[in-house]
């Protein structure tokens, strides 16, 4: 009953909007056939190399982070926002949705884990894993009530295809007040809509990694003032790191229905996503010194993976409810369904209303390997290596054989044990954002808004298990029997059935009310906004007790398996916080402006990173940030520049020590951070058709407010403690930039645009201790796009053309130094060279 009541509240605003639509439609005069939805003009292509006349980019209208329906010109926006249209998105050649975020200075997505499951770092925001300070939106609606959960971040719910019209990426600024109140960054994807004249495209892509992909889009007229669109993609790929089965397979379908009126518009949209993707596990490398790396014997760091047909299918007896089967080919997949709508209307006399709603649900499962201890020879693993460092501690005389045939394993064979973990995650979400604005007097507009979200999570985990396998590409599992004839592993090579086999379910409701006032005075634009938000969450996690699953003491792998005992620990979380932002923008000239902004916001806890493992009343405090920023924007025929500086300070950051299985150990500690930096997006156009683009950032960020030594568990070099005060923010390079020269060649039959992107990623570290350096690296990507006559487009693009060996992270379950004997380290390097070719017909 409670859930139904909340759902009714959330839908109330949408129903009211629909009623208002009916009344408004009765008052509208009939429009001429073919009129499209009145909306802010799409941004000019970020890499449009046509000759430029008067400044255009700063005239783009953006809608993300603005309180009113009509949006705001970039030159008037007192915050940092990056806008890219469909062509600019393609020219960025993103490997995934998360990888696209690299076009925004200060955002660094770690896309080495595959198509999904990226860690998204934002300069000055101390993340270090998943994406706690990042929100994905479609048409202005966040995809889920929390930005991240364990084994889930919201870009994994979204795939790029030809149904996307543009993206707006907002950092900081007013985002603490609007939408879901994200204090970090928000990417808002706007969908293409139908047109009076049928238009669309169909494309086929082939990639050298065995990729075949089909994309399509069609926009059309349904009736007078009604327009529709359909589109999507389907693809399959062996992956750059071939797992001996299909690495990526699936597709997406999107449809929109839009209606125009004299004074407003209505857009309804739906999307179905069914896609599965290989989640790439760290592989062995050799570390030299503190920050130089080379390949490990037998492993190609650019193309190899542990995944194989030998370990693809498993049975997991420790999974809640009596066990389950799992398949690596299902990877980190998404089966999601979305339905949303946007309604905007001018009520006259200075009144306007806007309503956005989204309902979605589905599964976000993970089937993947997760790194354990470092590799060693089979002989050392069985007898010599300490159990603290991953050894098995057996008496001499054990027998090791390959699973499914192959005979006895050579004692000198390099082996490793890794987690084969399965997480079943079922999500539901409904949110609604209603706003009403009134122009109080000329140039001054007051907006009031109500944001409501209700969302649930139901998880079952098989976590913490370890499978013994060869330390080779496309690994083979190993079965071990000790000298006494007892089974050390099961028939699949599992050393155990997990240390954290939990079932958990949570529900949460967010309620936020916000006010915003903007005032245009000559060349000045001032805004002040505040938001009061409450999050009310409840989480139930099953209590565990150890069970001998088969009742046989001679099967050592399952004699003490922690499984749910039928009872649950309940944690309640009820927090309220007020956020605010103040900004001022001054237009120095028609093509130049400066701004200043301050904001204070809070990051609420999520089910996994605040509630789970804590009792009611003992959950961590809110993470709070204060952010001061200023910027300068300029554009002429020759030069475009968007420069911002910032000072960001965090408090209430929690660190939860964990064991090798990822289970919490001890109480969390709290600390802070302090960061200063510069973000730059610019372009130089010295002659017609030539453009030199630069996206860059510099970050001076460190941890603060914790002077004690932080204890940690380390399976590679042994346990210890480390001081984090003053250490560089983890996983965030001090310097990162992308330089892209491009030139457009004109011909009687069309044009060809060629471009090269040089990327530098500066020194970065693995965790808060800064004991594990990850070095720096440089990559080169390229693209050639030919438009032939009016209808044909040919596109050849490639990434990491020099096969650079660059790291984004090491073993994330190791705190401190991760390099063991001989400098062996488990880490995620970039994928090797990838080239794809597309033929597209447009009409």
């Amino acid at each position: 009953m409670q859930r139904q009541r909340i759902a009714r509240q959330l839908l109330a605003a949408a129903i009211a909007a629909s009623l208002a639509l009916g009344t408004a439609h009765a008052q509208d005069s009939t429009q001429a056939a073919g009129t499209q939805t009145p909306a802010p003009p799409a941004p000019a292509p970020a890499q449009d190399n046509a000759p430029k006349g008067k400044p255009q980019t700063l005239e783009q209208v953006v809608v993300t982070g603005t309180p009113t329906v009509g949006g705001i010109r970039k030159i008037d926006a007192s915050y940092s926002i990056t806008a890219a249209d469909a062509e600019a998105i393609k020219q960025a050649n993103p490997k995934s949705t998360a990888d696209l975020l690299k076009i925004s200075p200060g955002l660094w997505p770690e896309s080495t884990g595959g198509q999904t499951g990226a860690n998204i770092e934002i300069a000055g925001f101390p993340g270090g894993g998943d994406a706690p300070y990042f929100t994905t939106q479609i048409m202005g609606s966040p995809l889920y009530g929390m930005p991240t959960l364990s084994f889930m971040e919201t870009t994994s719910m979204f795939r790029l295809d030809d149904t996307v019209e543009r993206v707006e990426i907002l950092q900081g600024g007013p985002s603490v007040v609007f939408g879901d109140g994200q204090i970090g960054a928000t990417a808002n994807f706007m969908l293409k809509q139908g047109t009076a004249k049928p238009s669309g495209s169909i494309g086929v892509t082939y990639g050298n990694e065995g990729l075949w992909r089909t994309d399509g889009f069609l926009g059309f007229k349904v009736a007078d003032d009604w327009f529709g669109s359909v589109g999507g993609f389907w693809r399959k790929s062996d992956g750059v790191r071939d797992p001996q089965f299909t690495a990526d397979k699936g597709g997406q379908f999107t449809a929109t229905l839009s209606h125009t009126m004299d004074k407003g518009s209505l857009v309804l949209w739906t999307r179905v996503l069914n896609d599965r993707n290989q989640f790439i596990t760290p592989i062995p490398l050799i570390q030299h010194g503190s920050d130089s790396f080379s390949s490990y014997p037998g492993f190609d760091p650019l193309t190899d993976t542990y995944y194989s047909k030998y370990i693809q299918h498993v049975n997991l007896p420790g999974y809640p409810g009596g066990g389950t089967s799992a398949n690596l080919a299902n990877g980190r997949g998404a089966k999601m369904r979305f339905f949303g709508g946007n309604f905007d209307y001018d009520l006259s006399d200075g009144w306007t209303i806007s309503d956005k709603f989204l309902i979605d649900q589905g599964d976000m499962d993970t089937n993947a390997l997760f790194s354990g201890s470092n590799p060693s020879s089979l002989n050392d693993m069985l007898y010599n290596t300490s159990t603290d460092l991953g050894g098995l501690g057996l008496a001499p005389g054990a027998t090791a054989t390959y699973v499914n045939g192959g005979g006895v394993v050579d004692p000198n064979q390099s082996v490793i044990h890794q987690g084969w973990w399965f997480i079943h995650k079922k999500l539901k979400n409904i949110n609604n954002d209603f706003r009403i604005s009134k122009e109080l007097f000329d140039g001054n507009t007051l907006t009031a808004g109500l944001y409501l979200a209700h969302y649930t999570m139901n998880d079952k985990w098989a976590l913490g298990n370890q499978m013994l396998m060869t330390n080779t590409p496309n690994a083979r599992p190993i079965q071990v029997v000790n000298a006494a004839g007892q089974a050390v592993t099961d028939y699949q090579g599992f050393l155990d059935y997990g240390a954290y086999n939990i079932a958990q379910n949570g529900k949460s409701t967010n309620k936020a009310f916000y006010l915003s006032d903007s005032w245009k005075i000559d060349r000045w634009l001032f805004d002040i906004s505040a938001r009061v938000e409450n999050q009310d969450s409840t989480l139930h996690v099953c209590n565990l007790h150890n069970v001998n699953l088969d009742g046989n003491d001679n099967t050592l792998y399952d004699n003490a398996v922690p499984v749910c005992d039928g009872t649950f620990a309940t944690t309640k979380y009820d927090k309220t916080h007020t956020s605010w932002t103040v900004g001022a923008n001054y237009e120095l000239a028609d093509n130049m402006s400066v701004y200043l902004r301050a904001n204070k916001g809070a990051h609420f806890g999520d089910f996994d990173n605040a509630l789970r493992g804590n009792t009611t009343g003992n959950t961590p405090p809110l993470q709070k940030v204060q952010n001061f920023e200023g910027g300068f924007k300029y554009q002429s025929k020759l030069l475009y520049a968007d420069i911002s500086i910032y000072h960001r300070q965090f408090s209430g950051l929690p660190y939860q020590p964990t064991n090798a299985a990822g289970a919490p150990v001890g109480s969390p500690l709290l600390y802070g951070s302090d960061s200063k930096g510069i973000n730059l997006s610019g372009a130089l156009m010295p002659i017609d058709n030539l453009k030199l683009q630069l996206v860059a950032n510099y970050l001076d960020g460190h941890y603060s407010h914790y002077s004690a030594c932080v204890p940690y568990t380390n399976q590679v070099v042994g346990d210890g403690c480390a001081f984090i005060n003053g250490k560089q923010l983890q996983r965030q390079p001090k310097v990162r930039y992308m330089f892209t020269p491009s030139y457009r060649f004109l011909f009687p039959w069309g044009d060809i645009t060629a471009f090269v992107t040089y990327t530098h990623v500066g020194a970065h570290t693995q965790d808060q201790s800064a004991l594990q350096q990850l070095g720096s690296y440089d990559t080169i990507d390229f693209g050639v796009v030919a438009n032939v006559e009016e209808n044909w487009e040919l596109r050849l693009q490639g990434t990491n053309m020099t096969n650079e060996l660059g790291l984004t992270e090491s073993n994330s379950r190791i705190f401190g130094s991760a390099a063991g004997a001989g400098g062996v380290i488990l880490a995620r390097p970039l994928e090797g060279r990838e080239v794809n070719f597309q033929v597209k017909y447009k009409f």
Side-chain angles (χ1 to χ4, degrees):
M1 293 298 294
Q2 173 71 6
R3 183 178 301 177
Q4 293 175 352
R5 183 181 63 82
I6 293 171
R8 287 196 297 269
Q9 291 175 346
L10 289 169
L11 289 172
I15 294 171
S18 300
L19 293 174
L21 169 64
T23 303
H25 187 263
Q27 296 173 349
D28 284 343
S29 59
T30 303
Q31 288 185 299
T35 304
Q36 298 186 37
T37 304
Q47 297 199 28
D48 176 11
N49 295 290
K52 302 293 181 183
K54 66 178 183 179
Q56 294 178 351
T57 304
L58 293 182
E59 294 298 316
Q60 296 175 18
V61 174
V62 293
V63 297
T64 308
T66 64
T68 54
V69 172
I72 191 173
R73 297 183 308 161
K74 284 187 69 175
I75 195 172
D76 294 325
S78 53
Y79 51 89
S80 174
I81 189 166
T82 299
D85 72 347
E87 177 59 23
I89 291 172
K90 291 183 176 64
Q91 291 195 15
N93 203 8
K95 287 180 170 290
S96 63
T97 302
D99 193 44
L100 174 65
L101 304 177
K102 63 191 177 185
I103 67 175
S104 179
L107 264 66
W108 189 47
E110 297 176 0
S111 54
T112 53
Q115 291 285 315
T116 62
N119 301 309
I120 300 171
E121 303 297 338
I122 307 165
F125 286 83
D130 294 320
Y133 308 120
F134 177 80
T135 292
T136 306
Q137 294 183 349
I138 302 181
M139 302 292 283
S141 293
L143 302 190
Y144 189 68
M146 292 172 173
T148 197
L149 297 170
S150 290
F151 308 101
M152 192 279 286
E153 43 75 36
T154 55
T155 66
S156 297
M157 295 180 170
F158 186 92
R159 301 293 185 274
L160 295 167
D161 61 18
D162 286 347
T163 66
V164 175
E165 178 191 63
R166 72 182 192 276
V167 64
E168 297 176 358
I169 306 172
L170 168 65
Q171 292 189 52
S175 62
V176 299
V177 170
F178 303 114
D180 61 342
Q182 174 59 262
I183 63 176
T186 297
N188 184 14
F189 292 90
M190 310 303 290
L191 299 175
K192 292 179 181 177
Q193 298 171 34
T195 52
K197 180 180 179 181
S199 62
S201 63
I202 182 79
V204 177
T205 304
Y206 172 75
N208 70 319
E209 76 279 22
L211 167 71
W212 284 102
R213 174 169 171 144
T214 301
D215 287 86
F217 175 79
L218 175 64
F220 49 89
K221 179 179 178 180
V222 177
D224 287 349
D225 305 329
W226 288 90
F227 307 93
S229 72
V230 294
F233 78 91
W234 182 90
R235 61 88 189 276
K236 64 178 298 186
S237 169
D238 296 332
V240 176
R241 303 185 184 278
D242 187 355
Q244 298 184 326
F245 48 79
T246 301
D248 303 297
K249 184 176 182 179
Q252 181 171 261
F253 174 79
T254 305
T256 71
L257 178 66
S258 56
H259 177 52
T260 63
M261 299 161 279
D262 281 339
K263 295 184 178 182
S265 64
L266 171 70
V267 180
L268 300 174
W269 60 273
T270 187
R271 172 172 279 212
V272 178
L273 170 63
N274 188 350
D275 194 33
R276 60 178 192 245
N277 315 100
Q278 179 186 191
F279 184 67
I280 298 172
T281 303
I283 61 172
L285 298 162
I286 303 296
Q287 179 172 322
H288 309 275
S290 63
D291 58 1
S292 178
F293 306 90
S294 64
S295 61
Y296 179 90
F299 264 89
D300 185 331
L302 301 167
T303 60
D304 281 341
T305 177
Y306 282 112
Y307 287 29
S308 74
K309 60 185 179 182
Y310 304 105
I311 58 174
Q312 177 182 350
H313 298 279
V314 295
N315 181 53
L316 301 170
Y319 181 81
T324 189
S325 60
N327 183 354
L328 270 183
N330 290 332
R332 199 161 187 172
K335 292 183 178 180
M336 295 293 299
R337 299 177 297 278
F338 303 87
F339 174 66
N342 292 27
F343 173 61
D344 301 311
Y345 198 76
D346 185 345
L347 299 172
S348 301
D349 297 325
W351 290 92
T352 59
I353 60 171
S354 172
D355 189 81
K356 300 179 178 67
F357 75 89
L358 173 60
I359 304 170
D360 57 81
Q361 66 175 12
D363 298 336
M364 299 288 295
D365 292 352
T366 296
N367 300 259
L369 296 184
F370 289 87
S371 300
S373 60
N374 273 16
S376 67
S377 71
L378 174 64
N379 191 72
D380 284 344
M381 180 76 72
L382 296 179
Y383 311 120
N384 302 324
T385 302
S386 165
T387 55
D388 291 339
L389 302 180
L392 304 186
L394 303 183
T399 302
T401 57
Y402 291 108
V403 172
N404 298 323
V408 176
V409 182
D410 187 330
N412 296 313
Q413 170 66 53
S414 180
V415 299
I416 191 170
H417 53 79
Q418 303 196 80
W420 202 126
W421 297 355
F422 173 55
I423 299 92
H424 173 59
K425 189 177 294 290
K426 182 176 288 293
L427 305 175
K428 293 183 180 180
N429 172 78
I430 178 171
N431 57 61
N432 196 94
D433 191 348
F434 177 78
R435 304 180 188 185
I436 184 166
S437 299
K438 168 63 175 174
E439 186 176 23
L440 301 179
F441 50 87
D442 188 30
N444 185 281
T445 300
L446 179 67
T447 298
L450 178 65
Y451 173 79
L452 298 171
H454 180 70
Y455 45 99
T456 64
M457 171 205 69
N458 285 277
D459 281 12
K460 290 184 178 181
W461 294 10
L463 202 71
N465 62 55
Q466 293 289 302
M467 175 186 277
L468 184 63
M469 63 186 70
T470 58
N471 181 43
T472 60
N474 305 129
R476 298 190 64 180
I478 296 171
Q479 189 171 357
V480 176
V481 176
N482 69 15
Q486 296 172 308
V488 177
T489 72
D490 78 347
Y491 67 97
Q492 306 168 104
F494 279 112
L495 290 161
D496 58 71
Y497 286 154
Y500 206 56
N501 301 308
I502 63 167
Q504 62 174 358
N505 61 84
K507 62 179 180 180
S508 186
T509 301
N510 285 53
K511 304 177 288 292
F513 174 75
Y514 54 89
L515 279 174
S516 178
D517 187 79
S518 62
W519 192 1
K520 178 78 171 176
I521 306 175
D522 193 26
R523 289 183 174 270
W524 287 95
L525 180 60
F526 300 95
D527 68 85
I528 181 169
S529 307
R531 173 192 186 99
V532 178
E533 181 169 9
N534 171 262
Q535 178 175 307
D536 185 359
S537 305
T538 303
L539 180 69
H540 306 284
V541 183
C542 76
N543 295 310
L544 302 174
H545 70 133
N546 291 340
V547 174
N548 186 330
L549 284 187
D550 64 2
N552 184 354
D553 291 340
N554 289 318
T555 53
L556 304 182
Y557 51 82
D558 71 347
N559 285 350
V561 181
V563 297
C564 294
D565 67 3
T567 67
F568 286 81
T570 298
T571 304
K572 294 185 179 295
Y573 179 94
D574 192 340
K575 303 279 188 180
T576 300
H577 187 266
T578 300
S579 302
W580 58 264
T581 182
V582 177
N585 188 87
Y586 183 71
E587 192 173 337
L588 297 167
D590 290 343
N591 64 337
M592 180 168 36
S593 66
V594 294
Y595 68 85
L596 290 173
R597 179 170 292 277
N599 70 42
K600 279 194 173 183
H603 175 75
F604 289 91
D606 64 61
F607 293 130
D608 290 313
N609 297 292
L611 279 75
R612 181 168 52 85
N614 296 299
T615 58
T616 301
N618 293 307
T619 54
L622 293 177
Q623 298 178 37
K624 297 181 181 179
V625 63
Q626 62 177 15
N627 181 31
F628 304 96
E629 57 187 299
F632 171 76
K633 301 172 186 176
Y634 171 82
Q635 184 165 359
S636 66
K637 183 177 180 180
L638 177 67
L639 177 68
Y640 169 77
D642 187 341
I643 305 170
S644 63
I645 59 174
Y646 59 82
H647 183 197
R648 293 166 179 163
Q649 295 172 302
F650 268 82
S651 63
L653 296 172
Y655 170 70
Q656 175 62 67
T658 60
N659 60 22
V665 177
S667 300
L669 57 88
L670 297 176
Y671 59 101
S673 71
D674 192 291
S675 303
K676 304 176 184 68
I678 302 174
N679 292 336
L680 166 66
S681 179
L684 180 66
M685 296 150 283
I687 60 175
D688 288 347
N689 300 314
L690 174 66
K691 179 179 285 188
L692 309 174
Q693 291 183 282
L694 180 66
V695 173
N697 73 277
Y698 169 78
L699 168 66
D700 177 16
H702 61 270
Y703 297 108
S704 63
H705 296 89
Y706 194 85
S707 56
C709 200
V710 178
Y712 60 82
T713 299
N714 187 307
Q715 285 193 318
V716 174
V717 298
D719 300 348
C721 73
F723 292 95
I724 66 173
N725 231 38
K727 298 297 177 63
Q728 177 183 350
L729 295 188
Q730 67 181 120
R731 312 271 272 275
Q732 298 197 24
K734 290 185 176 180
V735 176
R736 185 184 75 90
Y737 59 82
M738 297 192 307
F739 175 61
T740 305
S742 59
Y743 191 83
R744 184 184 185 196
F745 301 87
L746 303 178
F747 301 96
W749 46 264
D751 62 76
I752 295 177
T753 299
F755 59 91
V756 175
T757 298
Y758 171 77
T759 300
H760 172 75
V761 174
H764 51 296
T765 67
Q766 169 61 27
D767 56 38
Q768 295 96 324
S769 74
L771 293 173
Q772 181 58 59
Q773 298 288 321
L774 298 174
S776 61
Y777 61 85
D778 306 272
T779 61
I780 295 178
D781 307 334
F782 86 99
V784 179
V785 183
N787 292 295
V788 181
E789 302 297 341
E790 293 185 1
N791 302 111
W792 291 97
E793 178 186 278
L794 308 177
R795 182 182 298 269
L796 179 69
Q797 294 190 202
T799 59
N800 197 12
M801 299 306 296
T802 57
N803 277 330
E804 175 77 356
L805 175 56
L807 304 187
T808 63
E809 67 172 289
S810 63
N811 186 344
S812 61
R813 267 148 292 284
I814 298 295
F815 190 94
S817 176
V824 178
I825 182 175
L826 296 174
R828 273 181 176 161
L830 303 176
E831 291 182 322
R833 182 184 301 115
E834 183 178 6
V835 179
N836 58 70
F837 176 69
Q838 183 184 64
V839 178
K840 177 178 286 188
Y841 181 78
K842 301 184 292 187
F843 59 92

